Amino acid sequence: MGYKDIYDSWASDPEDFWMKAAAAIDWDRPPSKALFDRGAGMFEWFADGMTNTCWNAVDRHVENGRGEQVAIIWDSPITHTKREITYVELRNRVATLAGALRAKGVEKGDRVIIYMPMIPEALEAMLACARLGAIHSVVFGGFAAHELAVRIDDAKPKCIIAASCGLEPNRVVHYKPLLDGAVEQATHKPDFCVIFQREQEVATLIPGRDVNWHGFQYGVEPAECVPVEGNHPAYILYTSGTTGQPKGVVRHTGGHLVALNWTMKNIYNVEPGDRFWAASDVGWVVGHSYICYAPLIHGNTTIVFEGKPVGTPDAGTFWRVISEHKVKSFFTAPTAFRAVKREDPKGELVSKYDLGCLNAVYLAGERADPDTIQWAQKQLGVPVIDHWWQTETGFAIAANPLGIEELPVKLGSPSVPMPGYDVRILDEGGHEVKDGELGAIAIKLPLPPGTLPTLWNAEDRFKSAYLAHFPGYYETGDAGMRDEDGYLYIMSRTDDVINVAGHRLSTGAMEEVLSNHPDVAECAVIGVSDPLKGQLPMGFLCLNAGCDRPHDEVVKEAVKLVRDQIGPVAAFKLCTVVDRLPKTRSGKILRATMVKIADGAAYKTPATIDDPAILGEIREAVTPLGYAKEPA
């Protein structure tokens, strides 16, 4: 069956399609049906089934005689370390860790925050929570203390599992002081913290609160898998909200298992036993779905990589890992390829390695520019597949489903909607637009299994953020179009979220931080184009009347504020002081026009502008930062 047959079979009988997909998962009690309609646009999948994620990701492979297969390969060029963990070793390690957590009171439904770098223990912590039915929330290792504190107060974890440090190519990132600062700032206090001591930095433990990863596991009874309902939350993953209000995306257990397992063969074209590598981080959704869960549920070998695309030691590190570990399917962000291409434009390092094992490359996290795709196609000689999804959806909305059928690649398009996604392009009034016309991308409800059913403790916010604008649809927040062949094109965000090297960051959150500076009267942050990272934030500060301090001092402090509050991941360095911001007569800042000026793109002066002269002032302000180059 080809893509069209399979998509049509889903469209004509979604219930039958997903119940068949659910048969590939082990259930303690099979669900009576696939879809449960809770009313008011709220849906759940496989809600009355009973299952366990850890069982499906680990134990069942051991029970089925595949215990000696390698489950996890850890490759850390930063520490010059490689390790292999088989499924049977993984089961034993996870069961013991889960037993130790249980002995300290962690039970089904409790939340556990995980704050760890790219080490196998991060996956073991996630799986140990799943084993007990505890709900984990992984926070990107090294996130600023303030951001971590906000998440502690929202999730209210019984326990936090952290490492003593993370490692960057030239520095140690001290996790423990950030964790201690976050716990101090947070109103909610965890019962205890588990610290995995890395040899690069041994952290000081706080007596009575902190326990050592190895020590607290000593002599405990290993835990069995706890069956949970299909609609029991597997995890909470916070995505770009404003700093004051984190958006905790919830993932339900049953749909998560079914959808992710389905994608491994149908989208990524791997069989159980094949080696799959997603070069991401466990702190992001790609790390949840495609470093930890999907490969293990499907019985693949997953690669955990602690390194960078360049500099660990050079721009050939991706090719070394693929060649050495016989990776069949490789997933990364376009940013990573741009960094490699910048260092090795002719691909001289590619030819040093035997990449005969590699069948395909998948790109996601931001729009894949045609130039990067063409470079990768030329260097690697395999399909380079752009696919599009979101933290909220957990897996691809649109892709080229190589495991079903390789469709023609159209540069600039993530191809076609996957089964489960009825994608429509709508105008402001919620009416469908013609093929080739730009509109808001929305998905007709219900969303498929594995997507977010709600936000953590914020159902009203879930409805207002995603369901209210277009009744009967999920609003993706992206704008784009569809061509006559049904291929989708994702053009831009419709809100204020920018994409810095694959990390979705809210400019609104940065504005909130900047506006707290005592000298700043008003500010705006926009996303400007960057050849390496895709986008970078650029800040504009209007200072309080009477502020006579040197502008560069204020800018330096503002940059430090964002770094401290949001973290280095924001890459906030471009900032300038201006007298005023361009606004509509109703007071709305014309951010989209500012972006066009900075990027040197053609623009029309908005009809609603209060004073057109301000646009020239913005051009003058961004020119010293290396922007506002004339349109080519």
Side-chain angles (χ1 to χ4, degrees):
M1 283 171 78
Y3 158 75
K4 190 171 183 326
D5 302 321
I6 287 180
Y7 189 86
D8 289 349
S9 77
W10 160 73
S12 62
D13 194 344
E15 182 74 22
D16 179 65
F17 182 90
W18 290 117
M19 283 303 273
K20 280 181 178 152
I25 294 303
D26 282 7
W27 300 87
D28 294 84
R29 182 180 75 213
S32 63
K33 59 178 183 169
L35 184 66
F36 291 74
D37 185 345
R38 303 292 188 210
M42 306 293 285
F43 297 90
E44 292 174 355
W45 292 92
F46 313 112
D48 64 355
M50 298 290 288
T51 186
N52 181 280
T53 296
C54 185
W55 172 271
N56 277 284
V58 184
D59 299 61
R60 68 167 172 164
H61 305 307
V62 179
E63 298 293 320
N64 293 340
R66 309 235 323 282
E68 294 309 312
Q69 183 196 312
V70 176
I72 296 171
I73 297 172
W74 182 47
D75 189 308
S76 170
I78 290 184
T79 60
H80 308 287
T81 314
K82 290 168 200 163
R83 245 171 78 202
E84 293 189 345
I85 300 169
T86 63
Y87 272 101
V88 72
E89 286 176 272
L90 183 61
R91 182 197 60 189
N92 297 344
R93 291 167 69 91
V94 169
T96 307
L97 176 58
L101 291 169
R102 186 181 59 190
K104 289 196 66 79
V106 175
E107 296 172 359
K108 177 186 170 188
D110 288 338
R111 273 81 61 212
V112 174
I113 281 183
I114 298 170
Y115 187 64
M116 296 186 97
M118 285 298 290
I119 54 178
E121 289 78 9
L123 276 66
E124 289 167 10
M126 294 164 80
L127 291 161
C129 292
R131 196 172 190 86
L132 298 173
I135 303 163
H136 67 67
S137 184
V138 181
V139 176
F140 181 72
F143 244 33
H146 169 76
E147 288 289 307
L148 180 55
V150 166
R151 287 153 174 76
I152 290 169
D153 280 338
D154 196 65
K156 300 187 171 40
K158 183 169 274 189
C159 144
I160 299 176
I161 303 176
S164 57
C165 66
L167 301 170
E168 292 289 327
N170 302 308
R171 67 189 178 103
V172 174
V173 183
H174 314 290
Y175 283 12
K176 189 59 167 47
L178 292 169
L179 171 65
D180 292 343
V183 172
E184 201 174 300
Q185 281 183 42
T187 310
H188 173 85
K189 308 295 178 192
D191 290 3
F192 66 102
C193 297
V194 181
I195 307 300
F196 178 78
Q197 300 278 23
R198 302 192 72 183
E199 61 189 53
Q200 290 78 14
E201 175 167 283
V202 177
T204 306
L205 302 189
I206 295 174
R209 185 196 79 185
D210 298 342
V211 296
N212 181 295
W213 170 281
H214 292 292
F216 102 121
Q217 296 188 50
Y218 187 74
V220 300
E221 189 70 28
E224 291 302 316
C225 296
V226 175
V228 301
E229 297 77 11
N231 61 358
H232 179 71
Y235 67 76
I236 305 162
L237 179 55
Y238 289 99
T239 186
S240 312
T242 58
T243 45
Q245 267 191 313
K247 267 177 14 188
V249 167
V250 172
R251 200 81 68 212
H252 280 175
T253 300
H256 180 235
L257 283 165
V258 173
L260 288 186
N261 184 66
W262 184 89
T263 64
M264 288 307 288
K265 170 60 184 154
N266 290 285
I267 296 177
Y268 300 105
N269 199 22
V270 288
E271 306 292 347
D274 286 340
R275 293 178 165 197
F276 181 85
W277 178 24
S280 179
D281 190 283
V282 286
W284 313 123
V285 70
V286 172
H288 282 61
S289 292
Y290 293 107
I291 295 173
C292 184
Y293 288 116
L296 296 177
I297 292 162
H298 195 246
N300 293 106
T301 298
T302 187
I303 317 281
V304 174
F305 173 72
E306 187 181 40
K308 296 277 187 243
V310 295
T312 60
D314 58 27
T317 193
F318 275 180
W319 323 129
R320 174 192 67 76
V321 172
I322 290 166
S323 172
E324 201 171 302
H325 303 306
K326 305 280 180 281
V327 172
K328 184 176 175 185
S329 221
F330 175 51
F331 182 153
T332 189
T335 308
F337 270 12
R338 284 198 285 268
V340 172
K341 174 172 165 251
R342 188 178 181 183
E343 297 272 319
D344 183 22
K346 296 198 176 99
E348 285 160 14
L349 291 168
V350 182
S351 57
K352 284 174 61 177
Y353 299 96
D354 176 4
L355 301 180
C357 55
L358 185 67
N359 278 24
V361 170
Y362 293 82
L363 300 175
E366 68 214 295
R367 196 164 167 268
D369 54 294
D371 194 42
T372 299
I373 291 181
Q374 285 168 317
W375 179 85
Q377 285 171 335
K378 184 179 164 204
Q379 301 303 334
L380 303 173
V382 297
V384 178
I385 305 301
D386 179 21
H387 62 326
W388 168 60
W389 47 296
Q390 303 178 320
T391 299
E392 289 87 348
T393 66
F395 72 100
I397 302 168
N400 193 327
L402 294 195
I404 298 171
E405 173 188 10
E406 186 182 332
L407 300 171
V409 168
K410 294 190 183 191
L411 292 175
S413 169
S415 301
V416 292
M418 290 298 91
Y421 293 102
D422 181 352
V423 179
R424 310 288 178 95
I425 317 291
L426 307 177
D427 64 18
E428 262 306 297
H431 308 292
E432 286 194 62
V433 302
K434 293 206 249 338
D435 287 347
E437 282 183 16
L438 197 63
I441 306 178
I443 299 162
K444 200 166 189 319
L445 296 176
L447 290 176
T451 55
L452 84 167
T454 188
L455 294 172
W456 180 252
N457 284 342
E459 190 169 296
D460 288 345
R461 191 163 172 225
F462 168 72
K463 289 176 175 172
S464 64
Y466 300 106
L467 309 182
H469 193 167
F470 300 117
Y473 293 90
Y474 163 85
E475 183 185 4
T476 66
D478 281 304
M481 61 179 197
R482 179 170 38 214
D483 72 12
E484 66 283 358
D485 297 325
Y487 279 60
L488 295 172
Y489 292 78
I490 318 304
M491 311 311 281
S492 64
R493 294 290 301 165
T494 52
D495 62 4
D496 71 346
V497 175
I498 63 168
N499 206 314
V500 180
H503 306 323
R504 283 180 62 206
L505 297 163
S506 169
T507 53
M510 294 180 213
E511 289 175 3
E512 200 170 301
V513 171
L514 292 174
S515 59
N516 286 333
H517 188 288
D519 295 325
V520 172
E522 188 179 32
C523 63
V525 177
I526 60 171
V528 296
S529 295
D530 178 74
L532 191 61
K533 292 185 184 256
Q535 280 182 299
L536 284 175
M538 181 184 281
F540 297 83
L541 310 177
C542 299
L543 302 186
N544 289 318
C547 171
D548 54 4
R549 297 179 57 209
H551 289 178
D552 57 348
E553 261 181 41
V554 179
V555 164
K556 205 177 277 183
E557 288 165 7
V559 167
K560 185 176 184 305
L561 262 183
V562 173
R563 192 179 175 86
D564 290 348
Q565 295 275 308
I566 310 271
V569 72
F572 185 81
K573 296 180 187 116
L574 299 169
C575 192
T576 184
V577 173
V578 293
D579 284 336
R580 51 197 185 147
L581 295 167
K583 293 181 182 174
T584 64
R585 284 183 284 275
S586 62
K588 194 166 180 250
I589 297 170
L590 292 160
R591 290 181 182 80
T593 308
M594 292 168 74
V595 170
K596 284 185 172 153
I597 292 170
D599 285 347
Y603 68 92
K604 286 194 181 109
T605 301
T608 53
I609 194 166
D610 192 18
D611 181 356
I614 303 179
L615 299 180
E617 295 168 20
I618 295 296
R619 178 181 291 281
E620 278 174 32
V622 300
T623 304
L625 299 176
Y627 282 79
K629 296 182 175 70
E630 290 297 326

